[in-house]
Amino acid sequence: LHTAHTSNSLYLFEQHGHKLELCTKLHQMFELQSTRPQIRARVSEVLAQDARGPFRGVEFEQPGDGVDDTELRRQVQAGDRQLYRVLAEMPAFRDTATGFWRMMDPVYCIELLRLILATQVEQDWELDALDAERVHTALAAESPQLREAVEAVLHRFGASTRPGVFAMDPQRVARFLAKQIFATEGTRAWPVSEFLQALQATMPPQLLLDEHTNAWGSRRISRSLVRGLAIATTTPENEHLVYSAQGVPGALTLLLPIDASDLPQDVRARMRRLFEIKSRWSREELIPFLEELVDVDDALLGQGDEQTDAAVAKAVDTWLIKFGRGVKTPDGETVYTSRIN
């Protein structure tokens, strides 16, 4: 619900005898605007109410009350399917002893993943067939909390191929680590080669992506790796190269961290913020930072689903007409500047 100013004014008069007296003037109205529940942000807020903080290992746990399923459903406007998917992505796990949900500390999460993968090498298991029970046994995970944490990590960084069996996904690990790397130095722009060096240094060795098929080189980077986490830009004197059909030479490319989840949830406010960060955007650059505001299944975003992509494209085009102004570059590509006052 928000107010909107109108071009016309409505005057209300009261009659007093033979005279009319102006009593009020209306020049704005209330409008209802459709918006999506911000499930991820809300779940994080609710779990942050746990005074113990994020889970950092069994040895650091203290007794205390937390948030159970009933409280989550009460405070978060979402169905169970959406709710549990967000919890898995965080990742978080339900403590079977208490029924409370525990959000995992990102550093501990990666440490536990490294321990699982070190065990995988020691036991000579296949990366695409990690059995959760065998992992529990090898790690001597007798604590219910540790067992739940291990399974949460397997769910977060792997795909379930059959009940209790997971195939590790290097892309999921790389995106998780990329977010942590960008967070270490705020909004500093990263040269692509420097970012890839930092990422490769932190990636578990058996999960390094193939350099040729996934563009892990000093000159190119896979867009899906930083989708919604950063944009490719360049130095001011070479800004026009960003929009060239040939792409930007790797030596000039910078990655500017922008986490879509940290942007305003209102479309107008988000567009304003994006144009404050960068004055000109191509349509393709904007889509990863606007798509989560479209009423589609989050799980299908960026996955090549035609119906989902069409719905996102239609919404983004509508917002660009309303909030952007198209400009042609010398190469014939259309880029957008802000028309928001």
Side-chain angles (χ1 to χ4, degrees):
L1 179 67
H2 65 97
T3 58
H5 289 272
T6 64
S7 56
N8 300 315
S9 295
L10 174 65
Y11 294 86
L12 298 179
F13 295 86
E14 287 183 349
Q15 186 169 359
H16 296 278
H18 297 291
K19 295 182 179 180
L20 292 177
E21 294 184 3
L22 178 65
C23 61
T24 188
K25 180 178 70 172
L26 302 177
H27 53 82
Q28 61 184 21
M29 61 183 179
F30 290 106
E31 288 185 346
L32 287 174
Q33 180 176 335
S34 175
T35 185
R36 299 188 67 197
Q38 304 307 315
I39 301 173
R40 288 186 181 88
R42 185 58 187 149
V43 170
S44 295
E45 290 175 3
V46 174
L47 293 187
Q49 297 170 10
D50 192 328
R52 294 171 293 177
F55 182 79
R56 295 187 296 272
V58 176
E59 62 274 25
F60 298 107
E61 276 296 272
Q62 299 290 332
D65 293 333
V67 178
D68 59 13
D69 283 330
T70 302
E71 188 63 14
L72 269 177
R73 294 188 185 106
R74 189 184 71 82
Q75 295 198 45
V76 182
Q77 183 185 348
D80 284 356
R81 178 171 169 267
Q82 293 173 304
L83 198 55
Y84 293 146
R85 186 169 67 207
V86 168
L87 289 164
E89 289 173 357
M90 296 181 73
F93 66 90
R94 186 197 290 110
D95 185 344
T96 53
T98 63
F100 296 141
W101 283 92
R102 299 290 284 124
M103 182 166 52
M104 295 180 65
D105 180 81
V107 174
Y108 175 74
C109 190
I110 290 297
E111 288 177 354
L112 187 53
L113 174 65
R114 294 186 191 282
L115 181 59
I116 292 171
L117 294 178
T119 306
Q120 172 260 326
V121 172
E122 181 181 325
Q123 300 290 333
D124 197 25
W125 294 332
E126 295 293 331
L127 269 174
D128 58 358
L130 289 181
D131 186 291
E133 279 302 322
R134 294 174 68 186
V135 174
H136 295 325
T137 301
L139 295 179
E142 298 177 358
S143 163
Q145 279 187 324
L146 182 55
R147 292 177 64 90
E148 294 293 341
V150 167
E151 197 136 347
V153 168
L154 291 173
H155 272 286
R156 176 63 179 82
F157 299 115
S160 179
T161 55
R162 58 183 188 274
V165 179
F166 300 86
M168 290 293 97
D169 186 341
Q171 186 82 351
R172 292 188 187 182
V173 179
R175 279 183 58 80
F176 189 88
L177 289 171
K179 186 168 183 173
Q180 310 309 313
I181 290 171
F182 288 140
T184 59
E185 298 191 37
T187 58
R188 177 176 82 86
W190 288 72
V192 166
S193 57
E194 183 182 340
F195 167 74
L196 287 175
Q197 184 178 6
L199 186 58
Q200 289 175 327
T202 57
M203 278 288 285
Q206 63 267 57
L207 291 183
L208 287 181
L209 299 176
D210 182 87
E211 182 173 354
H212 302 290
T213 60
N214 291 285
W216 275 56
S218 61
R219 299 181 64 81
R220 296 183 58 219
I221 187 168
S222 170
R223 286 188 177 185
S224 62
L225 181 60
V226 294
R227 182 183 181 88
L229 298 176
I231 56 169
T233 184
T234 186
T235 53
E237 60 270 22
N238 296 299
E239 186 177 6
H240 66 283
L241 292 176
V242 173
Y243 308 106
S244 68
Q246 292 75 28
V248 187
L252 301 176
T253 307
L254 300 172
L255 290 175
L256 181 63
I258 305 174
D259 193 335
S261 63
D262 293 336
L263 294 172
Q265 300 305 320
D266 173 71
V267 175
R268 181 187 182 91
R270 180 171 292 210
M271 293 284 282
R272 182 194 298 276
R273 179 64 185 131
L274 288 169
F275 283 121
E276 288 173 350
I277 293 171
K278 192 159 82 90
S279 60
R280 299 195 303 170
W281 293 76
S282 70
R283 178 176 175 272
E284 289 68 31
E285 286 178 318
L286 280 169
I287 284 178
F289 299 98
L290 297 174
E291 60 188 8
E292 68 176 16
L293 301 181
V294 184
D295 190 13
V296 293
D297 187 346
D298 288 350
L300 298 178
L301 291 174
Q303 302 301 313
D305 180 76
E306 291 185 5
Q307 187 173 354
T308 300
D309 290 348
V312 169
K314 182 178 179 180
V316 171
D317 287 341
T318 300
W319 296 334
L320 284 174
I321 291 172
K322 188 174 182 179
F323 302 118
R325 182 180 290 109
V327 179
K328 286 285 187 181
T329 68
D331 293 322
E333 184 179 357
T334 300
V335 296
Y336 294 88
T337 59
S338 175
R339 67 162 72 233
I340 303 172
N341 296 326

